[in-house]
Amino acid sequence: MFATPTFDDLNVWAALPLIMLGLGTCVLLIADLLIPKDKKLYTAVLAAVGVIVSLVLALAQATGAAEIGESGTAFSGIFVADQFTYLVNVIVLTAALIGILVSYDYLKRTGNERGEFYTLMLFSAMGAMLMGSSRNLVMIFVALELLSIPLYILSGFRRPMEQSEESAMKYLLLGAFASGFLVYGIAFMFGATGSFDLPTIWQHAVGILNGDMPGQATLLIGIGLVLIALGFKVGAVPFHMWQPDVYQGAPTPVTAYMSVVAKTGGFAALLRVLATGMGVVSDGNAINAWQDTVQLMAFITLLLGNVVAVMQVDLKRLLAYSSIAHAGYILIAVAAGGSQGTQDAAVQAALIYLLAYTFTNIGAFAFVVAMERNDTSGTTLDDIKGLANNNPGLALAMAIFMFSLTGIPATAGFMGKWFVFKAALDANLTVLAVAGIVTSVISAFYYLRVIMNMYMVQGDARPAMKLKPALRTALLITAIGTILLGLQPYLMTDLAQDITLAIVGH
């Protein structure tokens, strides 16, 4: 007779932040129908409260401040409850909370204040959280769609503006192709190993890559197709083509949000698949089917992202190519995770980088929101000349973000790069680490040019309008977070130190 599993059997409490966010989002969807069009502040507040509740639970899990569920698996083994999951949840929920603050005033002044915006944002956050906690390939696909579909809609939220609609269409079409690659890759991996479960795939991959079992070509094709799909999601070269146009055409708060959440979800799934499913060690020797490919992707991503960013004069496109470049830095950590003995340190470095990037990049886009006029003008380098004279606080915040993206000491960005380069050196990927350092020097040109225009060039730049409390709070949180994580890196390292992703389930 079939026995109905209990809450304890399912370990439901381990997924409590995700469950609470899902319930809160469904309640928000209904509640918004009852909120008048001129009172959408209540919708934003309800969304923020839901995120804060989930964030508090996620922090309690990540820091061990409360025993919420048990580490291990949940929901019949398809959900992983471990330190990696907890930290991904913290990153995504932090990005969602700041994203709500950045969005409210923008939506109001552009006449796009519709409650479904926040619902879509939170559903997308759920998808990113699921990508970090999935131990099953089918679950990863479902999570990817839950992450992506709301972002397609949000990209076109400023309809009937042609730029916004065009960005949504490009993102949808190319995203659909990426989803197709993922499904096809999953099918090949299942054909080679007979399982969707990542630890089971790992067990079969040992024999397959050793040559003891058939299906090596099938497995390698599957890995390649999955890399293409997730490479698209994180904006890695050569799967980056969508990113500059979508980032420029989408509403700026959406760009700020997707630049962090989509990247976090994509890298979380990539690390799960490669480190847990394909981190193959046999007889003490690493048999790695993907490290060289990821190294090549990281190198060309670093090079193209930073070099092309030098030529940009629009801040949104500059930050789009900057985002591509930063995907390259995180890919260095992913590649380092393919070397025996450095898997855990590499995964920790990747998540530390993503946490630092969350504050820095959303803050930079929040600055663009403050400068952008309702007709989307006001975002070029010429439009920020002399800003420090008229609004020194806003200029200082942007300077902090630019220093952090460059990797200047005492900022979160410096600590993120430090751990990534250290992981690469520990994995004997010296050439890749040197490439990261050299391209960081290149990036200093276009990041410091932004600061120079604000402080050293004559002009009369001003924000598009007086900064409202929500946007001002978002800028303050991101600026303080960027400095605090740079001066007190243990706030990040303590959360990441217990991550042992590479051996989960083995």
Side-chain angles (χ1 to χ4, degrees):
M1 182 176 176
F2 179 75
T4 303
T6 65
F7 275 160
D8 290 337
D9 293 332
L10 294 174
N11 198 16
V12 170
W13 304 116
L16 198 57
L18 177 65
I19 292 171
M20 290 301 295
L21 184 65
L23 290 174
T25 305
C26 292
V27 170
L28 179 67
L29 185 63
I30 303 302
D32 181 61
L33 297 174
L34 307 176
I35 296 174
K37 290 183 178 180
D38 59 341
K39 302 289 186 182
K40 294 304 178 184
L41 171 63
Y42 297 145
T43 305
V45 170
L46 287 173
V49 169
V51 172
I52 290 170
V53 170
S54 294
L55 180 57
V56 169
L57 292 170
L59 282 169
Q61 288 181 329
T63 59
E67 292 294 329
I68 302 175
E70 297 180 3
S71 295
T73 62
F75 301 109
S76 301
I78 65 172
F79 183 98
V80 183
D82 60 10
Q83 192 66 18
F84 180 86
T85 297
Y86 303 152
L87 187 49
V88 168
N89 290 347
V90 169
I91 294 170
V92 171
L93 290 167
T94 300
L97 180 59
I98 302 172
I100 291 169
L101 293 173
V102 172
S103 301
Y104 175 70
D105 292 328
Y106 178 93
L107 294 175
K108 189 171 183 178
R109 66 182 169 92
T110 57
N112 290 279
E113 196 178 17
R114 299 191 291 273
E116 59 267 27
F117 181 94
Y118 304 103
T119 305
L120 291 167
M121 182 180 283
L122 299 191
F123 275 130
S124 182
M126 289 174 58
M129 292 166 70
L130 270 176
M131 289 183 79
S133 56
S134 297
R135 202 180 74 155
N136 182 286
L137 290 175
V138 174
M139 194 67 183
I140 288 175
F141 171 71
V142 173
L144 178 69
E145 295 305 292
L146 183 58
L147 166 68
S148 301
I149 293 173
L151 291 179
Y152 302 151
I153 301 169
L154 289 172
S155 297
F157 209 76
R158 283 203 69 176
R159 58 179 176 83
M161 182 175 286
E162 289 184 5
Q163 267 190 318
S164 182
E165 291 181 339
E166 181 184 344
S167 72
M169 185 59 68
K170 286 180 179 178
Y171 198 14
L172 170 64
L173 292 176
L174 292 173
F177 277 111
S179 296
F181 277 111
L182 181 62
V183 171
Y184 209 23
I186 290 172
F188 271 97
M189 292 180 73
F190 178 81
T193 63
S195 177
F196 295 117
D197 185 63
L198 290 175
T200 305
I201 290 172
W202 178 86
Q203 293 169 0
H204 286 87
V206 174
I208 292 171
L209 295 179
N210 259 325
D212 300 333
M213 295 171 58
Q216 190 172 98
T218 304
L219 180 62
L220 292 176
I221 292 171
I223 296 170
L225 291 171
V226 170
L227 268 176
I228 290 172
L230 296 179
F232 169 89
K233 188 50 60 182
V234 301
V237 178
F239 316 112
H240 67 289
M241 300 80 67
W242 62 276
Q243 197 159 303
D245 289 342
V246 171
Y247 274 32
Q248 186 174 27
T252 306
V254 174
T255 304
Y257 176 73
M258 80 164 71
S259 70
V260 171
V261 171
K263 205 173 284 312
T264 300
F267 274 113
L270 196 60
L271 289 165
R272 283 283 184 206
V273 172
L274 298 184
T276 308
M278 296 305 305
V280 177
V281 178
S282 176
D283 299 326
N285 298 312
I287 306 170
N288 204 302
W290 51 265
Q291 188 180 48
D292 291 342
T293 302
V294 174
Q295 282 192 74
L296 179 60
M297 285 175 61
F299 180 79
I300 61 175
T301 301
L302 288 169
L303 192 62
L304 184 140
N306 283 301
V307 170
V308 179
V310 169
M311 298 179 276
Q312 304 305 312
V313 295
D314 183 272
L315 285 173
K316 288 182 76 173
R317 289 192 77 86
L318 185 150
L319 290 172
Y321 282 103
S322 162
S323 185
I324 292 169
H326 285 280
Y329 295 115
I330 304 171
L331 281 171
I332 294 177
V334 176
S339 295
Q340 188 180 357
T342 62
Q343 295 100 327
D344 294 339
V347 172
Q348 291 163 14
L351 289 190
I352 288 170
Y353 199 104
L354 283 167
L355 183 57
Y357 182 76
T358 296
F359 287 97
T360 302
N361 212 56
I362 294 185
F365 276 109
F367 171 88
V368 178
V369 170
M371 297 301 298
E372 185 178 15
R373 303 185 186 97
N374 290 350
D375 61 357
T376 72
S377 64
T379 63
T380 67
L381 291 173
D382 289 339
D383 293 320
I384 62 172
K385 288 180 178 178
L387 178 66
N389 297 324
N390 296 318
N391 198 316
L394 186 59
L396 176 62
M398 187 58 166
I400 291 171
F401 304 138
M402 294 296 100
F403 283 136
S404 182
L405 289 171
T406 306
I408 300 297
T411 63
F414 171 79
M415 297 311 305
K417 287 185 178 179
W418 170 272
F419 284 103
V420 164
F421 295 153
K422 184 179 183 298
L425 292 173
D426 289 344
N428 294 319
L429 304 181
T430 307
V431 173
L432 198 55
V434 170
I437 294 169
V438 171
T439 51
S440 292
V441 174
I442 295 173
S443 73
F445 174 82
Y446 59 85
Y447 290 134
L448 298 183
R449 184 173 58 176
V450 173
I451 299 174
M452 184 187 72
N453 277 19
M454 292 190 298
Y455 282 90
M456 301 178 185
V457 179
Q458 293 295 322
D460 191 37
R462 299 176 186 274
M465 61 181 296
K466 184 179 178 180
L467 297 186
K468 298 295 178 65
L471 183 57
R472 192 184 296 273
T473 302
L475 285 163
L476 189 63
I477 290 172
T478 50
I480 292 174
T482 300
I483 293 296
L484 192 61
L485 294 178
L487 296 176
Q488 305 289 344
Y490 68 85
L491 295 172
M492 296 186 287
T493 56
D494 284 357
L495 291 175
Q497 66 181 355
D498 295 327
I499 292 174
T500 54
L501 176 65
I503 60 171
V504 168
H506 296 172

